[in-house]
Amino acid sequence: MCLAVPGKIVDVWEDQGTRMATVDFDGIRKEICLAYLPDAELGDYAIVHDGFAISKVDEVSARETLQMFRELGVLDEELR
């Protein structure tokens, strides 16, 4: 399965001309690319698919979705 997962941007930097971020997915942190979401800022919530932030989402929706993924038992599987 390959879901798009919401997470909170907790760090932003540039790597060889590409904006990158650390995103927190309910306690699991991953490095992702912000190339498709250049206006993303620290503290924003973003939908991430295959290592790329693809859209912003509000905090309430992000938390509800993360909780649902946890309840379904797919969050850890998706973030390996």
Side-chain angles (χ1 to χ4, degrees):
M1 192 181 314
C2 193
L3 300 173
V5 181
K8 182 177 182 179
I9 298 172
V10 296
D11 191 21
V12 177
W13 70 93
E14 191 168 310
D15 184 11
Q16 299 181 31
T18 301
R19 288 186 74 227
M20 301 294 292
T22 300
V23 175
D24 185 299
F25 302 94
D26 198 28
I28 300 169
R29 291 185 175 205
K30 296 282 186 175
E31 290 184 7
I32 61 103
C33 180
L34 295 176
Y36 299 140
L37 201 59
D39 62 335
E41 299 178 6
L42 192 66
D44 286 346
Y45 283 79
I47 301 293
V48 177
H49 179 68
D50 280 341
F52 290 87
I54 57 173
S55 67
K56 287 188 192 179
V57 65
D58 65 271
E59 181 177 359
V60 172
S61 295
R63 290 185 182 277
E64 288 173 353
T65 302
L66 286 168
Q67 180 61 34
M68 181 178 57
F69 286 170
R70 279 247 185 251
E71 290 171 2
L72 293 171
V74 297
L75 186 60
D76 291 331
E77 178 183 319
E78 285 299 316
L79 296 175
R80 279 191 217 152

